[in-house]
Amino acid sequence: MTTSSPTISLKSKIAFISGASKGIGVSIAELFAAAGADLALTARNEEELEQTAEAARKHGVKVWTKTAEMGDADDVKDLADAVLEKFGRVDILVNNAGVAKHQPFFDVDIETFHTVMNVNLLAPMLLTQAFAPGMIERKSGKIVNISSRGAIRAIPTGATYCASKAALQLMTQTMAVEFGPHNVQANCVAPTVTMTPMGESAWPASPRRDAKLSKIPTGRFADPEEVANTALFLASSNSDFISGVELPVDGGEGAG
């Protein structure tokens, strides 16, 4: 029996990626473009978003961009309408945009709570409500939500962030249960600290960083490309029988 080397292809697929101007979102966009997907990208920073788009276009795929504020429900709905007007459908939804505002529990204010919940939880719900009906109708679709280790284990000063990501995990499982009969899979990726610009600024050399690293058997933090590779797998036909999981990308941190 002979086997061929497996490759992941997203040719003929249309993928929507939020938070595509920085870090993990940039890596996901480039990797999906290399796999052949046409892209609809959004972020707040227009200049950085266009840089992501230009890099993706080098792979010969179509790339469309529109800036949006994920914390504004009306902006999110308008964005979804514009995507469907441009492409007619979305085959792969990647809810990557997120915000972390760390505060001691007793200092959490209502404005911060709503901002974090709107970006990390409400926006993915609204985008799924916009794009998943078409997936269900076509009997094919992938939803990949970028969560966090903070959804699995609490982080000091992370009350709002951890709560939002844990809620995203349970919402994803609900999607898996409701959409599964229609051949639509929904999964979460839960990275540990990832060496994006935000990750590097949040975890500078310090005893706190050393303590975090000591919990990761591989002895290092994640690279954005490693998170993107996981998202690519979950967006592909290779994961057709995987749904409702929260897949840690944590170097074994959760095993300790």
Side-chain angles (χ1 to χ4, degrees):
M1 179 178 176
T2 60
T3 59
S4 58
S5 298
T7 58
I8 291 179
S9 172
L10 300 181
K11 287 182 179 177
S12 79
K13 300 295 185 181
I14 297 166
F16 174 95
I17 304 166
S18 66
S21 65
K22 289 183 173 66
I24 292 170
V26 172
S27 293
I28 292 174
E30 178 140 8
L31 195 60
F32 279 30
D38 292 330
L39 305 179
L41 306 177
T42 190
R44 286 185 299 176
N45 188 302
E46 184 173 6
E47 182 179 351
E48 293 178 349
L49 182 61
E50 189 53 36
Q51 290 174 358
T52 304
E54 284 302 311
R57 289 185 184 111
K58 292 178 181 178
H59 295 284
V61 299
K62 297 177 183 177
V63 183
W64 175 91
T65 64
K66 181 177 173 60
T67 58
E69 174 52 66
M70 291 292 105
D72 185 318
D74 289 334
D75 216 18
V76 173
K77 291 177 182 178
D78 290 344
L79 169 67
D81 289 343
V83 172
L84 291 175
E85 183 177 348
K86 173 66 178 179
F87 287 102
R89 73 180 200 276
V90 167
D91 302 302
I92 301 162
L93 168 59
V94 182
N95 287 306
N96 168 69
V99 62
K101 293 183 179 291
H102 291 283
Q103 297 172 309
F105 188 89
F106 292 114
D107 293 339
V108 175
D109 58 274
I110 292 175
E111 182 179 357
T112 297
F113 179 87
H114 284 303
T115 296
V116 173
M117 289 296 175
N118 285 350
V119 174
N120 293 357
L121 186 64
L122 180 59
M125 184 189 80
L126 293 173
L127 290 168
T128 303
Q129 287 179 333
F131 300 141
M135 297 178 185
I136 290 169
E137 183 179 347
R138 294 185 300 275
K139 298 289 187 182
S140 177
K142 301 283 185 175
I143 300 164
V144 182
N145 294 322
I146 306 302
S147 180
S148 166
R149 275 281 307 170
I152 304 169
R153 291 289 183 271
I155 302 170
T157 74
T160 52
Y161 178 76
C162 292
S164 69
K165 292 298 189 179
L168 180 63
Q169 175 185 352
L170 267 293
M171 182 182 287
T172 303
Q173 291 176 335
T174 303
M175 294 175 192
V177 170
E178 292 192 16
F179 305 163
H182 308 284
N183 193 37
V184 175
Q185 293 82 47
N187 293 288
C188 275
V189 180
T192 188
V193 175
T194 305
M195 285 294 91
T196 63
M198 183 174 72
E200 296 198 19
S201 66
W203 293 87
S206 63
R208 175 173 169 264
R209 177 189 174 105
D210 294 341
K212 180 68 169 176
L213 282 170
S214 71
K215 298 177 182 178
I216 302 175
T218 53
R220 64 175 179 85
F221 295 140
D223 292 325
E225 294 79 8
E226 292 171 316
V227 182
N229 275 316
T230 306
L232 176 64
F233 167 71
L234 292 175
S236 75
S237 59
N238 293 21
S239 64
D240 281 353
F241 204 58
I242 298 173
S243 196
V245 306
E246 177 141 28
L247 182 55
V249 181
D250 65 3
E253 182 178 358

